[in-house]
Amino acid sequence: MAEQYLMTQKGYDEAKERLTYLQTTKRQEIVERIAEARSHGDLSENAEYDAARNEQAANEMEIEQLDYKLKNAVIIEETTDTTAVHIGSKVRVYDEDMDEEETYEITGSMEANAKENKISNESPVGAALLKHAVGETVVVHAPNGDYTLLIKEIF
């Protein structure tokens, strides 16, 4: 059985849009760069040609991976339930050791983005928070050691 990828509808739509861009616009841009580099003659010492071919390979690999994940995506229904943390929840937590609060959005692995504080349900923090309620303290089993977070708010 194929691996399943949990996604919100919004995340699925964004991934589908990215796939379309890679298959059309970016693929065509790379083909044009390869043609331009070929026109410069000897390909054996043509760094521009090699770079374009490497970019083409990377683009095709991303297309293949994204297509596979979209074909095996499971859309998570959005809910307004704030009694416990689930995929789609935004959670404000307090880390007593660091004396700081942080807000995370729990997403599927396809939508995780550290810059936007979107963390995967499979990450140490995401997995620890799932199914817990406001006021509960959870233990995060991180690679560099365990620590605790207090759930302050779910929204």
Side-chain angles (χ1 to χ4, degrees):
M1 184 172 164
E3 185 176 354
Q4 293 183 333
Y5 297 89
L6 303 177
M7 304 176 79
T8 62
Q9 185 63 52
K10 180 181 179 218
Y12 180 86
D13 294 342
E14 289 171 355
K16 191 85 168 150
E17 187 176 307
R18 171 84 178 149
L19 179 61
T20 300
Y21 165 76
L22 294 173
Q23 290 173 323
T24 56
T25 307
K26 187 163 184 181
R27 188 180 268 166
Q28 185 59 38
E29 289 171 356
I30 294 169
V31 167
E32 290 169 8
R33 275 201 295 282
I34 290 172
E36 173 68 25
R38 274 192 174 144
S39 71
H40 296 242
D42 184 12
L43 299 180
S44 65
E45 295 181 17
N46 189 331
E48 187 179 332
Y49 176 78
D50 290 340
R53 292 292 298 189
N54 289 338
E55 185 179 2
Q56 182 181 43
N59 189 59
E60 293 305 316
M61 185 181 300
E62 186 177 355
I63 287 170
E64 185 178 319
Q65 291 172 345
L66 197 50
D67 185 52
Y68 177 81
K69 289 176 180 179
L70 287 169
K71 285 179 180 172
N72 294 291
V74 175
I75 306 299
I76 302 299
E77 293 293 322
E78 292 190 38
T79 177
T80 56
D81 177 22
T82 58
T83 58
V85 178
H86 53 83
I87 295 176
S89 293
K90 289 188 179 178
V91 185
R92 186 169 54 89
V93 297
Y94 174 70
D95 182 334
E96 193 172 291
D97 294 339
M98 302 292 281
D99 190 31
E100 63 184 21
E101 284 190 359
E102 192 66 67
T103 299
Y104 298 110
E105 181 175 350
I106 311 300
T107 68
S109 59
M110 289 274 302
E111 298 172 77
N113 183 335
K115 291 179 184 174
E116 298 175 4
N117 275 3
K118 292 182 176 183
I119 60 171
S120 166
N121 62 307
E122 298 170 6
S123 71
V125 174
L129 291 171
L130 284 177
K131 299 180 183 173
H132 290 278
V134 172
E136 290 187 48
T137 299
V138 299
V139 177
V140 178
H141 302 290
N144 58 347
D146 294 353
Y147 62 96
T148 59
L149 295 174
L150 171 64
I151 300 173
K152 303 278 279 187
E153 181 181 13
I154 301 170
F155 53 102

